[in-house]
């Protein structure tokens, strides 16, 4: 940060200060005003399309304190990326004022993410006794909706979906008072002038008479087993009482969601600890202003609530989140039990966020809807996180984190759009040093999701004032995001290999520019040789990579069908070992299809080769009789991890062939697992030994690469590293071997982080 030079301790000076970052909509201007008053400085502060501008005049000593305090005492939601100061002529004008916002110029100011209700607003809502007691939309400059309601910058009320709510006299007084925490809080409102709740039937008709409490009525319906569509910050949730077996089962059937766990919302940390193991780092993550869903080990002994089996069938983890709006707090306080809060959609569709769309799409699923009249401008799903080795790790980066940018290790020559992947899609817009990753978009093979994707790209371009000149896309010709890039006029496009983008995303979030050993383990990605990669060892920097190793390839029987049916991968690996052995249960279960499919594999009919680590995990899950078919992505691997015995030290051995590149023999791990299976070793022990064997194989490959290339840093990326058992063993092995290890924290390791990797690669190549 450059503060300029101030020459005289006592003489008055005047500075022009420019602050960039998340400094709009977070109480930064009243903070500056109050600070200037305290230090007896003169001048003004205001918002414009680039951030906050300040002119401050006073003695040098006071200005020094002012500049330091801007950073050290900033409001809790403010983030300062840069601050500069330059001398101006002294004017001698009295007083310090807050100027009207300047909307001229191209947008460059950052919009703040949505933030959970602060303690002061919660106290007002639940027990303050004032005009906002029981009000579901209480907020201030330290909390409330931001990104989901903003239409344009600078972030002022006319540019938000609050524009239609004229402030009453009391709210206007708070809004205009620099000493009030609601000073220039754009969503400020109260029951007299703000949004209102309604409880409606799914045909849109009101269910309550005037004066009735929609929250109390909703709680009664939930206790009775109703499915309620609840409008939140970024869209609609489908809610049921999590302790009501019939309601949870009915919701699962209505959403066509066979096995994937539902997320739960609990009232507070105490209730969370009653049903899950909540370590201190997890407690901090649960209470983060972003309020993500946090994956936690399920409490199996004496849980405080008996969670219905249909909530998370057969799952050893629960996804919990704390309330993040006043409405959530009021509802949970009335219900006094956990709520299922899952996205308001049918599986694979985008979340409903417009009121008319919600009534149309959720009819037949929800019985009633608890809604309100504040529009949502952009749908935004809940974020998902977990704690790994005491550190928070994002698995889905969305509400509460977006649109906070990530600083790149390079300065881009031209604005870049990273178009992302096909599944777990995000896109990324970048200019200069900063890359803004989008909210979670989802599966682009769904037509409605693809429309949401194109609309989202347009909104971000307008909001950030970025017109990309370079579009980075995946090499896979059938990805909808690739088609989007290639069909867009007036821009240059660059293809980025899938696994290089994974490693680059990890390098980007760590500010790393030098070459590393990149381990990219995931499901499938299009290789530059036309085969399907997924178990890759790369030597890579941001601009380039060399494939120096990979898992040995095996066929995928039936192509994409093998992703949905892991037993096919068991067949493939068994065939690679010389055919099935007597007594293998998976072969017996599929005896009618086994022989013809094996012959097709041997003939190379619809059996593309893959080096996928995800498919290796699928094969072992099927061999251990855990999962022959999956109903959601990664299900077989998740169940294999959950069943594994903790504390197992031994890992199955596997060979690495060294010419011409390292070839990691995953089939050796399958052989060892099968041998133990036939010898009667228990599934938990086999699963643990398999995980340890994969980790050891990665470590051994990295040691060989270090010998050849002299590299001592390893970057781990790809969806397989969502597996905490594998990640932990790999981290231990690499660290003990003297490696510096980079893992994901801010950006998902799965395909949700791919777009920022595409930006980093395209930008680095463009600089060359």
């Amino acid at each position: 940060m450059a503060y300029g030079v101030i020459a005289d301790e006592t003489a008055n000076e005047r500075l022009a200060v420019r602050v960039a970052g998340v400094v709009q909509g977070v109480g930064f201007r009243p903070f500056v005003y109050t600070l200037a008053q305290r230090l007896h400085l003169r001048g003004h502060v205001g918002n414009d399309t680039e951030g906050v501008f300040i002119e401050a005049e006073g003695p040098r000593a006071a200005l020094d304190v002012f500049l330091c305090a801007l950073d050290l005492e900033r409001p809790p939601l403010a983030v300062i990326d840069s601050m500069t100061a330059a001398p101006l002529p002294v004017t001698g004008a009295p007083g310090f004022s807050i100027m009207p916002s300047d909307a001229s110029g191209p947008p460059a100011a950052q919009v703040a993410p949505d933030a959970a209700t602060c303690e002061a607003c919660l106290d007002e809502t639940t027990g303050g006794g004032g005009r906002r007691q029981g009000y579901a939309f209480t907020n201030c400059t330290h909390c409330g909706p931001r990104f989901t309601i903003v239409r344009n910058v600078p972030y002022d009320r006319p540019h938000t979906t609050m524009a239609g709510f004229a402030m009453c006299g009391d709210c206007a007084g708070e809004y205009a008072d620099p000493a009030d925490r609601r000073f220039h809080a754009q969503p400020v409102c109260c029951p007299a002038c703000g949004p209102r709740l309604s409880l409606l039937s799914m045909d849109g008709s009101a269910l309550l008479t005037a004066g009735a409490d929609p929250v109390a009525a909703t709680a009664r319906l939930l206790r009775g087993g109703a499915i309620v569509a609840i409008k939140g910050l970024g869209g609609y949730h489908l809610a049921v009482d999590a302790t009501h077996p019939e309601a949870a089962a009915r919701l699962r059937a209505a959403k066509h969601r066979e096995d994937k766990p539902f997320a739960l919302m609990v009232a507070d940390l105490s209730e969370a600890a009653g049903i899950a193991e909540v370590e201190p780092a997890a407690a901090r993550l649960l209470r983060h202003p972003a309020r993500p869903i946090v994956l936690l080990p399920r409490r199996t002994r004496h849980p405080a609530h008996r969670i219905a089996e249909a909530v998370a069938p057969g799952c050893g983890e629960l996804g919990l989140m704390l309330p993040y709006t006043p409405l959530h707090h009021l509802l949970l306080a009335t219900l006094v039990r956990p709520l299922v809060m899952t996205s308001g959609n049918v599986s694979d569709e985008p979340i409903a966020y417009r009121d008319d769309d919600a009534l149309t799409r959720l009819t037949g699923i929800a019985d009633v809807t608890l809604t309100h009249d504040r529009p949502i401008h952009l749908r935004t799903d809940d974020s998902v996180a977990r704690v790994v080795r005491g550190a928070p790790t994002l698995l889905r980066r969305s509400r509460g984190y977006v649109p906070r940018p990530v600083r790149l290790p390079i300065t881009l020559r031209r604005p870049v759009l990273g178009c992302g992947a096909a599944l777990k899609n995000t896109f990324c817009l970048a200019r200069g040093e900063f890359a803004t990753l989008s909210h979670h978009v989802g599966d682009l093979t769904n037509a409605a999701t693809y429309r949401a994707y194109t609309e989202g790209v347009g909104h971000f371009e307008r909001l950030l004032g970025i017109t990309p000149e370079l579009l980075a896309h995946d090499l896979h010709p059938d990805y909808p995001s690739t088609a989007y890039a290639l069909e867009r006029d007036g821009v240059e496009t660059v293809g980025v290999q899938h696994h290089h983008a994974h490693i680059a995303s990890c390098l980007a979030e760590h500010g790393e520019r030098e070459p590393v050993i990149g381990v990219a383990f995931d499901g499938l990605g299009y290789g530059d040789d036309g085969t399907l990669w997924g178990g890759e060892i790369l030597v890579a920097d941001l601009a380039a990579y060399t494939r120096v190793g990979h898992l040995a390839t095996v066929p995928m029987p039936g192509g994409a069908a093998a992703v949905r049916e892991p037993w096919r991968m068991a067949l493939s690996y068994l065939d690679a070992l010389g055919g099935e052995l007597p007594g293998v249960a998976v072969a017996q279960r599929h005896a009618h299809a086994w022989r013809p499919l094996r012959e097709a594999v041997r003939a190379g009919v619809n059996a593309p080769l893959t080096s996928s680590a995800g498919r290796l995990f699928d094969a072992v899950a099927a061999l251990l009789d855990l999962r022959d078919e999956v109903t959601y992505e990664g299900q077989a691997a998740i169940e294999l991890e959950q069943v594994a015995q903790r504390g197992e030290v031994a890992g199955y051995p596997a060979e690495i062939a060294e010419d011409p590149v390292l070839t990691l023999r995953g089939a050796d791990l399958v052989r060892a697992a099968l041998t133990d299976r036939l010898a009667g070793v228990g599934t938990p022990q086999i699963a643990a030994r398999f995980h340890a064997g994969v980790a050891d194989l990665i470590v051994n490959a990295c040691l060989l690469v270090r010998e050849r290339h002299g590299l001592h840093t390893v970057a781990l990326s790809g969806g397989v590293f969502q597996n905490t058992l594998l990640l932990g063993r790999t981290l231990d092995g690499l660290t003990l071997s003297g490696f510096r290890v980079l893992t994901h924290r801010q950006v998902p390791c799965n395909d949700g982080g791919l777009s920022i990797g595409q930006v980093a690669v395209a930008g680095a190549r463009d600089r060359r």
Side-chain angles (χ1 to χ4, degrees):
M1 296 179 185
Y3 298 141
V5 178
I6 307 173
D8 188 335
E9 290 282 352
T10 57
N12 281 345
E13 308 248 350
R14 191 174 185 90
L15 292 178
V17 182
R18 164 65 62 182
V19 187
V22 181
V23 290
Q24 293 188 8
V26 294
F28 201 82
R29 287 177 298 171
F31 156 68
V32 171
Y33 175 88
T34 304
L35 177 61
Q37 296 277 54
R38 189 178 88 203
L39 296 172
H40 305 291
L41 298 177
R42 298 180 291 278
H44 60 255
V45 60
N47 280 347
D48 61 15
T49 56
E50 296 182 7
V52 168
F53 60 89
I54 304 166
E55 290 190 17
E57 183 175 314
R60 171 180 172 175
L63 289 171
D64 282 345
V65 173
F66 178 74
L67 292 171
C68 290
L70 286 178
D71 187 32
L72 297 177
E73 300 178 20
R74 64 187 183 274
L77 297 182
V79 180
I80 296 177
D81 289 325
S82 67
M83 185 164 66
T84 60
L88 289 173
V90 173
T91 69
F96 195 95
S97 61
I98 296 177
M99 302 287 286
S101 295
D102 180 3
S104 63
Q110 294 176 26
V111 176
D114 301 281
T117 307
C118 69
E119 290 300 321
C121 285
L122 181 58
D123 287 345
E124 277 187 280
T125 303
T126 58
R131 73 183 197 279
R132 291 190 176 90
Q133 180 159 344
Y135 187 52
F137 305 94
T138 306
N139 67 86
C140 70
T141 54
H142 304 313
C143 67
R146 299 290 191 275
F147 172 65
T148 51
I149 65 169
V150 67
R151 293 190 172 110
N152 209 338
V153 292
Y155 177 72
D156 287 326
R157 194 177 184 102
H159 295 149
T160 74
T161 62
M162 287 295 296
F165 297 92
M167 284 183 278
C168 66
D170 289 335
C171 286
E174 293 169 329
Y175 184 87
D177 182 1
D180 195 285
R181 78 175 197 278
R182 293 194 168 90
F183 178 74
H184 280 236
Q186 305 309 332
V188 65
C189 57
C190 74
C193 63
R196 298 183 181 185
L197 290 174
S198 301
L199 184 64
L200 307 177
S201 67
M202 296 311 291
D203 64 6
S205 58
L207 292 175
L208 300 178
T209 57
D213 183 359
V215 172
T218 300
R220 288 193 297 271
L221 289 168
L222 287 165
R223 282 193 290 267
I227 300 173
V228 182
I230 300 176
K231 187 177 181 180
L233 283 183
Y236 279 79
H237 286 103
L238 290 166
V240 297
D241 175 355
T243 68
H244 198 297
E246 292 79 10
R250 190 161 65 92
L251 176 59
R252 185 166 291 282
K255 270 181 66 81
H256 305 297
R257 185 162 167 168
E258 297 179 47
D259 301 299
K260 191 174 183 180
F262 289 137
L264 299 177
M265 183 176 280
V266 294
D268 50 34
L269 284 177
S270 176
E271 189 167 76
I275 58 177
E277 305 290 341
V278 184
E279 298 298 325
R284 289 191 294 273
L285 184 55
L286 282 165
R287 288 187 55 81
H288 188 280
R291 290 294 196 273
I293 298 167
V294 181
L295 303 184
L296 298 167
R298 192 169 190 161
R299 186 178 291 281
T300 55
R301 298 185 61 186
H302 313 300
H305 294 280
R306 185 177 294 278
I307 302 300
E309 175 61 25
V311 169
C315 190
E317 287 185 321
L318 293 174
L320 302 186
M321 61 179 158
L322 297 185
Y324 54 86
T325 70
L327 172 58
H328 295 148
H329 284 284
L330 293 168
L331 184 58
L332 285 164
T334 307
L335 188 66
V336 200
R337 61 192 71 179
L339 273 178
V340 167
M341 290 285 268
T342 187
S343 53
N345 58 7
V346 178
S347 290
D348 298 327
E349 288 185 355
I351 185 173
Y353 74 107
R354 293 191 177 104
D355 300 334
D356 54 350
D357 182 49
L359 289 174
T360 299
R361 288 171 53 204
L362 302 183
T363 294
I365 302 177
D367 301 308
V368 298
T369 178
L370 180 62
T371 187
H372 58 78
D373 54 353
R374 182 180 67 205
I376 299 168
H377 188 65
L378 190 72
R379 64 164 60 88
T380 311
D381 291 83
D382 295 316
S383 295
V384 181
R386 73 183 336 147
V387 174
V388 178
R389 299 296 176 91
T393 301
L394 287 173
L395 305 180
R396 184 167 78 192
R397 189 177 190 271
S398 202
R399 180 194 48 76
Y401 295 96
V402 174
R404 176 73 184 120
V406 176
R407 188 189 291 269
L408 297 170
I410 58 173
T411 301
L412 301 177
R413 191 173 69 87
R414 294 184 284 174
V416 183
L417 169 65
C419 296
L423 301 177
K424 293 185 171 66
N425 176 271
T426 64
F427 55 87
C428 182
L429 267 172
R431 173 177 54 200
E433 294 180 274
F434 292 99
T436 302
L437 200 65
S438 79
H439 56 297
H440 168 78
V441 179
D443 178 2
L444 295 190
T445 60
N446 177 280
T449 306
Y450 183 76
R451 285 195 300 273
Y453 169 79
T454 59
E455 291 169 0
V457 170
H459 178 62
F460 267 67
E461 289 182 7
R462 291 187 298 273
L463 191 65
L464 302 176
I466 297 176
T467 301
E469 298 175 27
L470 186 62
L471 266 60
H473 61 83
D474 196 88
L475 295 181
H476 200 300
D478 296 331
Y479 275 9
S481 52
T482 300
Y484 172 84
L486 297 179
E487 291 169 4
R488 187 159 165 170
D489 295 329
V491 292
E492 183 180 335
T493 60
V494 57
V496 179
Q497 200 280 322
H498 190 94
H499 300 94
H500 184 205
H502 269 309
I503 300 304
S505 72
C506 188
L507 299 183
E509 75 161 282
H510 285 279
E512 188 74 30
R513 301 176 64 168
E514 299 302 314
V516 300
I517 302 169
V519 181
F521 273 29
D522 65 358
L524 294 171
Y526 196 81
D528 57 20
D529 61 358
T531 63
L532 298 173
W533 294 5
E536 309 309 310
I537 311 293
L538 310 178
V539 168
D541 59 15
L542 294 179
Y545 75 96
T546 302
R547 190 190 196 199
V548 296
H550 58 82
L551 284 171
T553 58
V554 294
M556 280 179 57
V563 178
R564 301 185 297 271
E565 300 177 357
W567 70 268
R568 293 171 179 261
M569 292 310 303
L571 180 154
S572 184
Y573 270 99
L574 286 174
D575 196 53
L577 293 171
E580 76 277 10
L581 300 175
V584 179
V586 65
Q588 296 171 358
R589 288 196 299 274
H590 299 277
H592 65 289
W594 195 271
R595 187 179 298 275
L597 189 60
R598 186 181 62 190
E599 295 307 313
V601 166
R602 292 176 177 176
V605 177
N606 195 20
L609 294 176
T610 185
S611 57
S612 167
R615 302 291 79 78
L616 172 61
F617 276 76
D618 285 354
V620 174
L623 285 170
L624 296 183
D625 308 318
L626 295 174
R627 178 63 54 180
D628 282 3
E629 298 181 5
V630 299
T631 61
Y632 62 90
E633 186 186 10
Q635 183 179 9
I638 290 169
E639 293 178 356
L640 182 63
E641 177 191 5
Q642 289 187 351
V643 78
Q645 176 179 300
R646 267 46 181 179
E648 175 66 37
V649 175
Y652 294 133
E655 292 184 2
I656 300 176
E658 296 194 42
D659 286 320
V661 298
L662 303 180
T663 304
L664 289 60
R665 285 188 49 81
D668 290 351
L669 302 175
V670 176
R671 178 189 285 110
L674 184 59
T675 300
D676 270 359
R677 184 69 168 175
L678 295 176
V681 177
T683 296
Q685 197 167 6
I686 297 172
R689 290 174 178 175
F690 168 73
H691 278 82
V694 175
D696 293 346
L697 189 57
I698 292 169
V699 173
N700 291 334
C702 290
L703 288 168
L704 290 171
V705 177
R706 183 167 70 185
E707 289 178 10
R708 293 182 176 189
H709 297 273
L711 298 173
H712 296 268
T713 299
V714 178
L716 304 177
S717 190
V720 168
F721 287 112
Q722 294 176 125
N723 183 318
T724 56
L725 183 59
L726 174 67
L727 179 59
R729 174 78 178 224
T730 305
L731 279 170
D732 289 343
L734 289 170
T735 302
L736 289 171
S737 299
F739 288 101
R740 171 178 171 246
V741 187
L742 307 178
T743 60
H744 287 273
R745 291 287 183 260
Q746 301 179 65
V747 174
C749 66
N750 56 47
D751 280 6
L754 205 71
S755 59
I756 193 171
Q758 292 171 341
V759 162
V761 172
R765 291 178 183 172
D766 195 41
R767 282 166 56 90
R768 288 186 172 182

